[in-house]
Amino acid sequence: MRELKFYSDNAVPLEMHKVRVVQKLNLLPIDERLRAINEAGNNTFLLRNKDTFLDMLTDSGVNAMSDIQLSAMMIADDSYAGSATFSKLESKLQELFGTKYVLPAHQGRACEHILAKVFIKNGDIVPTNYHFTTTKAHIGLQGGKVLEVHYPEALIVESDNPFKGNMSPELLKKVIVEYGASRISFVRMEAGTNLIGGQPFSLANLKEIYSICKHHGLLLVLDASLLSDNLYFIKVREPAYKEVDLRKITREIADHADIIYFSARKLGHARGGGICTNNTELYMKMRELVPLYEGFLTYGGMSVREMEAITVGLEETMDEDMINQGPLFIEYMVNELKQRGVPVVTPAGGLGCHLNAMKFVPHIPQSEYPAGALGAALFIASGIRGMERGTLSEERETDGKEHYSNMELLRLALPRRVFTLSQIKYAIDRITWLYENRDLIGGLKFTEEPKVLRFFMGRLTPVSDWQEKLVTKFKKDLGNSL
């Protein structure tokens, strides 16, 4: 990776692009922000975008497209079957991953649905380096169970471990002995473990896990949605790969997985997804479900215009100056907040900056959803929409008891090439103010709780009048209109 030198000590990340198209933002006064979050049931997913100033909910489908991606969308072949556009996407994936077969889907969770339907049987086990919400839900609906097989360091929120997304080979071997290989549907590795701060795995670890899988006749399935971030971290944190070309690293990763699936809302910067494999038998098992659940085999629920953009986006992922934009700006935000004493996940990972709600609001019990409460408070104080990644994102046990998350995080995603440095500095300023007034923040309780993926649709209300008190303090410190 190119190392940028600055004359002064005030080094900042450098945008490797210029802004040519803009979209107007709206910063509501604080009273209107309070109204908006309450109308949304204190669930940031239910906020209207027009009420949001900086949308840091996710990087899925909201990354900025390049000029080349936009121009490619104009030449799409809109054929139902045999589309030349799909052939381009297929060829690009074959080139980068070295896989023969490509199955298109409308997004990553559609891929998870197909994988679960084909491979999961009632009572099956899926070891993973860390679960993801929709993955776990699909596996559970088929009667399977996810087992997290990570090192203890994965759950240490503040550390200097460069690869907290690694899977523990020792624990995996124990799981295989305990449950038997016949009960394990597949082993899942997630590139950039989403729920613990976008933490990567090392290529050395992937190779070791793959070797164990082969020894026991198990499939290794790679969720490559956050591959671009993981590529960056392998390049800068794994000494053996500092001088290795991104294409070679990509191929080496792909060579150590039996099935690769991804959300192109993250990998490729457009809306779609896909499943790739070299195994004809596995391909044939999955293929028949694509027309049933997604669409024909040459579009799979995607717009061909999006497919053209994904093809270009995948090629742009091989550019160091593109894949470094997220991690560099996230690292800047994490370091600035850390200097101000704000508890954040370290080392800085991919996806976004993650606030540690357990330390930010330690007075709020997990039963009152501290990360969700922090998300509501931050929106009131700033107009910034983040995403709860904690107990609210879990589901209750079968007996109705709350399943408490290992971590309580508020994720502030930084979509690629979207925010300017001044906007990130605004976020840092408002988060700092909120941290200095953290004792005012209180908990939340459900008023409407769906049984599955409740964090998407559930509605909550404050357990006290803490939001009004927060607004009063904000107006005293910063005025009515900010």
Side-chain angles (χ1 to χ4, degrees):
M1 286 285 182
R2 181 187 300 111
E3 186 175 356
L4 187 65
K5 300 290 186 180
F6 283 86
Y7 177 73
S8 72
D9 291 333
N10 297 320
V12 295
L14 186 65
E15 291 91 346
M16 298 304 293
H17 57 269
K18 60 182 178 181
V19 178
R20 298 181 66 191
V21 177
V22 297
Q23 185 177 33
K24 190 180 187 310
L25 293 175
N26 185 32
L27 178 56
L28 295 177
I30 190 167
D31 288 326
E32 293 184 37
R33 299 199 294 266
L34 175 62
R35 172 195 51 76
I37 195 66
N38 284 317
E39 287 180 355
N42 288 279
N43 184 345
T44 55
F45 271 99
L46 301 181
L47 284 165
R48 295 176 297 184
N49 190 56
K50 74 181 186 67
D51 295 332
T52 301
F53 178 49
L54 300 181
D55 193 353
M56 295 183 173
L57 184 77
T58 182
D59 65 342
S60 289
V62 293
N63 294 291
M65 286 191 189
S66 70
D67 51 354
I68 302 175
Q69 282 183 290
L70 291 171
S71 63
M73 295 174 78
M74 301 302 293
I75 58 171
D77 175 10
D78 206 4
S79 303
Y80 184 94
S83 167
T85 289
F86 174 74
S87 295
K88 290 181 190 177
L89 175 60
E90 182 181 49
S91 295
K92 180 56 63 177
L93 287 165
Q94 289 169 339
E95 171 197 333
L96 295 179
F97 293 156
T99 48
K100 182 178 180 180
Y101 302 111
V102 176
L103 291 169
H106 77 272
Q107 65 182 93
R109 70 193 56 162
C111 301
E112 294 170 342
H113 175 222
I114 291 170
L115 289 165
K117 294 289 283 188
V118 170
F119 296 107
I120 307 296
K121 303 185 302 297
N122 190 48
D124 276 3
I125 299 298
V126 178
T128 184
N129 52 342
Y130 207 81
H131 79 275
F132 183 62
T133 51
T134 55
T135 320
K136 186 176 181 179
H138 281 300
I139 291 170
L141 287 171
Q142 293 299 119
K145 181 181 179 181
V146 170
L147 283 183
E148 286 157 357
V149 185
H150 49 68
Y151 286 102
E153 292 88 340
L155 303 183
I156 298 175
V157 179
E158 298 173 33
S159 79
D160 57 2
N161 187 318
F163 293 109
K164 292 199 289 189
N166 279 351
M167 182 178 285
S168 168
E170 295 77 18
L171 285 180
L172 177 59
K173 291 174 184 177
K174 288 182 180 179
V175 167
I176 295 170
V177 170
E178 180 179 352
Y179 292 92
S182 63
R183 283 190 62 191
I184 297 176
S185 305
F186 53 80
V187 175
R188 174 183 175 272
M189 287 287 281
E190 183 178 334
T193 43
N194 191 315
L195 296 185
I196 57 173
Q199 299 296 313
F201 60 68
S202 70
L203 192 36
N205 180 251
L206 176 65
K207 288 181 178 181
E208 188 172 3
I209 297 302
Y210 183 72
S211 177
I212 295 170
C213 289
K214 294 306 99 183
H215 179 74
H216 292 278
L218 298 172
L219 296 176
L220 193 149
V221 175
L222 172 66
D223 179 349
S225 301
L226 292 171
L227 180 65
S228 63
D229 288 339
N230 216 119
L231 283 171
Y232 170 83
F233 290 123
I234 287 172
K235 183 82 172 170
V236 300
R237 294 180 182 176
E238 197 164 359
Y241 292 94
K242 285 189 180 294
E243 304 301 325
V244 180
D245 179 76
L246 286 174
R247 292 178 189 276
K248 292 182 179 178
I249 298 174
T250 301
R251 178 60 69 87
E252 202 165 334
I253 290 173
D255 286 346
H256 292 87
D258 297 293
I259 297 173
I260 302 168
Y261 76 93
F262 65 96
S263 169
R265 286 172 169 262
K266 296 182 185 292
L267 180 65
H269 294 184
R271 291 170 175 82
I275 304 173
C276 305
T277 185
N278 269 321
N279 188 305
T280 303
E281 182 183 355
L282 299 179
Y283 167 75
M284 296 300 287
K285 285 181 178 179
M286 295 183 286
R287 185 180 70 169
E288 62 189 42
L289 296 187
V290 173
L292 182 61
Y293 292 116
E294 292 297 302
F296 192 64
L297 293 172
T298 53
Y299 73 93
M302 277 187 278
S303 155
V304 289
R305 291 163 180 78
E306 298 284 353
M307 276 193 275
E308 289 281 359
I310 293 166
T311 304
V312 175
L314 288 167
E315 176 60 30
E316 291 178 345
T317 302
M318 299 298 104
D319 180 357
E320 293 180 10
D321 284 337
M322 194 283 280
I323 67 167
N324 69 14
Q325 291 296 279
L328 287 177
F329 281 80
I330 293 166
E331 184 178 26
Y332 173 82
M333 187 172 179
V334 165
N335 289 341
E336 289 294 309
L337 288 170
K338 188 178 177 183
Q339 288 178 18
R340 290 161 171 77
V342 179
V344 289
V345 172
T346 58
L351 258 174
C353 170
H354 294 74
L355 305 183
N356 179 6
M358 282 187 173
K359 280 194 173 181
F360 200 115
V361 283
H363 55 283
I364 300 178
Q366 282 191 277
S367 59
E368 294 180 4
Y369 313 113
L374 181 56
L378 181 60
F379 180 80
I380 293 168
S382 65
I384 295 170
R385 171 160 65 167
M387 184 190 293
E388 191 271 1
R389 300 277 74 167
T391 297
L392 193 60
S393 293
E394 299 287 346
E395 294 177 2
R396 290 186 185 272
E397 305 288 0
T398 53
D399 61 3
K401 291 183 179 179
E402 194 69 80
H403 179 82
Y404 293 120
S405 175
N406 293 316
M407 295 182 181
E408 294 287 344
L409 306 179
L410 177 62
R411 186 182 81 192
L412 302 174
L414 295 187
R416 307 304 178 262
R417 303 177 292 197
V418 171
F419 296 124
T420 64
L421 190 59
S422 66
Q423 290 167 334
I424 292 172
K425 288 183 175 181
Y426 167 83
I428 292 167
D429 180 81
R430 289 299 182 265
I431 293 166
T432 303
W433 178 87
L434 193 61
Y435 184 64
E436 291 171 353
N437 292 277
R438 59 193 178 276
D439 291 343
L440 294 175
I441 304 171
L444 301 173
K445 61 182 179 181
F446 270 106
T447 59
E448 180 183 332
E449 183 178 358
K451 291 183 178 180
V452 179
L453 299 177
R454 61 185 183 175
F455 67 93
F456 277 138
M457 301 168 286
R459 291 181 172 273
L460 304 99
T461 191
V463 298
S464 68
D465 62 349
W466 66 263
Q467 293 184 340
E468 289 76 13
K469 292 178 180 177
L470 189 71
V471 169
T472 299
K473 183 63 164 65
F474 185 95
K475 288 179 179 180
K476 179 181 178 182
D477 291 352
L478 296 169
N480 293 333
S481 61
L482 294 174

